[in-house]
C-alpha cells in the first residue's frame, strides 16, 4: 500500500510545482533566489487547484483567498498563472470582486 501512495506523490510532484529558476530573474538579488528555493510551489499549486476545483460553477480570486486566510496574498495569487499555463484551470468570464474590481472567473479545466 505504501508503494501506491509513493507513486501518487510522484505523480502530483510531476504535474504541480514550478522550478525555482522560473521564480527569480537572473539579475535579481541573492535573497530573491534564496526565497525562490524555499517556496513549496508543489504544495501551493495543489492547494489552489483543489480550492478552484471545489467550485464547479467557477470562482474568483476573492473566493480562493478567503479559503486561505493564513497565507500571504502573493503566495496564492501567483499560482493562478502556473495552473492556467499548465491547462489545469480555465477562465470562463469576469465578475466583480468585493472591492468592485473585475476578477477572472476560474474553474478546473474539463
Amino acid at each position: 500500500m505504501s508503494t501506491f501512495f509513493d507513486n501518487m506523490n510522484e505523480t502530483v510532484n510531476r504535474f504541480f510545482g514550478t522550478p525555482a529558476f522560473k521564480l527569480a530573474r537572473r539579475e535579481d538579488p541573492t535573497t530573491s533566489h534564496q526565497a525562490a528555493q524555499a517556496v513549496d510551489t508543489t504544495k501551493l499549486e495543489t492547494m489552489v487547484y483543489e480550492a478552484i476545483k471545489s467550485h464547479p460553477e467557477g470562482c474568483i480570486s476573492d473566493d480562493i483567498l478567503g479559503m486561505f486566510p493564513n497565507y500571504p496574498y502573493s503566495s496564492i495569487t501567483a499560482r493562478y498563472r502556473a495552473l492556467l499555463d499548465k491547462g489545469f484551470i480555465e477562465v470562463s468570464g469576469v465578475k466583480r470582486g468585493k472591492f468592485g474590481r473585475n476578477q477572472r472567473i476560474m474553474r478546473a479545466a474539463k
Side-chain angles (χ1 to χ4, degrees):
M1 194 66 155
S2 174
T3 306
F4 172 77
F5 289 112
D6 291 340
N7 290 340
M8 193 166 74
N9 283 334
E10 286 178 25
T11 300
V12 167
N13 290 338
R14 190 175 320 136
F15 295 112
F16 291 104
T18 301
F21 78 87
K22 289 187 175 184
L23 302 176
R25 293 175 292 274
R26 188 178 15 240
E27 64 275 359
D28 284 346
T30 304
T31 53
S32 295
H33 291 274
Q34 291 169 341
Q37 292 289 333
V39 175
D40 186 352
T41 57
T42 300
K43 175 185 168 190
L44 291 169
E45 284 180 23
T46 303
M47 288 171 33
V48 172
Y49 173 72
E50 291 297 330
I52 293 170
K53 191 171 134 184
S54 73
H55 293 87
E57 71 289 347
C59 60
I60 59 174
S61 188
D62 286 347
D63 300 326
I64 303 305
L65 290 167
M67 296 174 76
F68 302 109
N70 296 325
Y71 283 85
Y73 174 90
S74 60
S75 291
I76 301 302
T77 58
R79 306 308 134 212
Y80 304 148
R81 170 54 52 199
L83 293 170
L84 193 61
D85 289 347
K86 293 174 185 178
F88 286 110
I89 64 171
E90 58 190 22
V91 174
S92 61
V94 294
K95 178 180 168 186
R96 290 215 187 274
K98 65 182 179 182
F99 295 112
R101 297 265 181 150
N102 283 339
Q103 295 182 14
R104 296 182 294 181
I105 300 171
M106 302 170 286
R107 65 177 179 208
K110 296 177 182 175

